[in-house]
Amino acid sequence: QHSDREVIEALEQAELWESVKERFRSEDDTSAESLSGGQKKQLCLARALVKNSKILVLDKATARFALNSQFAPILNSTNLPR
């Protein structure tokens, strides 16, 4: 279990919070089905952030969000295309 604050911080780092905050406040609509493909990728990144994942596989589009997260020091030390 993770606190609401931890989840919100992860969503903010994945640049998804502003898009989903109204849904987060309403427990009636917590499904990810209506998210766009890009938003689903951001949600996966937020999940990895909150779970403190040791392995992270990113496509080029998702890497942009990860560079603004706690993964930035690791990603900046790799040879990822920018």
Side-chain angles (χ1 to χ4, degrees):
Q1 289 281 352
H2 300 283
S3 71
D4 286 354
R5 187 71 233 148
E6 289 172 310
V7 171
I8 291 168
E9 286 175 5
L11 290 167
E12 287 173 339
Q13 287 185 35
E15 298 181 22
L16 185 60
W17 176 242
E18 289 301 316
S19 301
V20 300
K21 66 181 171 185
E22 291 307 315
R23 294 173 56 156
F24 189 81
R25 295 177 208 280
S26 167
E27 294 186 25
D28 296 336
D29 187 14
T30 56
S31 170
E33 287 181 22
S34 64
L35 295 177
S36 70
Q39 288 174 321
K40 287 178 183 176
K41 289 179 181 183
Q42 289 171 271
L43 182 59
C44 289
L45 176 61
R47 185 179 195 190
L49 290 165
V50 81
K51 292 181 79 164
N52 204 14
S53 297
K54 303 293 182 227
I55 297 174
L56 187 64
V57 178
L58 304 170
D59 63 6
K60 190 173 183 177
T62 311
R64 178 178 73 85
F65 299 110
L67 288 170
N68 296 324
S69 73
Q70 69 189 29
F71 294 114
I74 297 164
L75 295 174
N76 286 328
S77 68
T78 66
N79 292 327
L80 285 176
R82 306 228 193 269

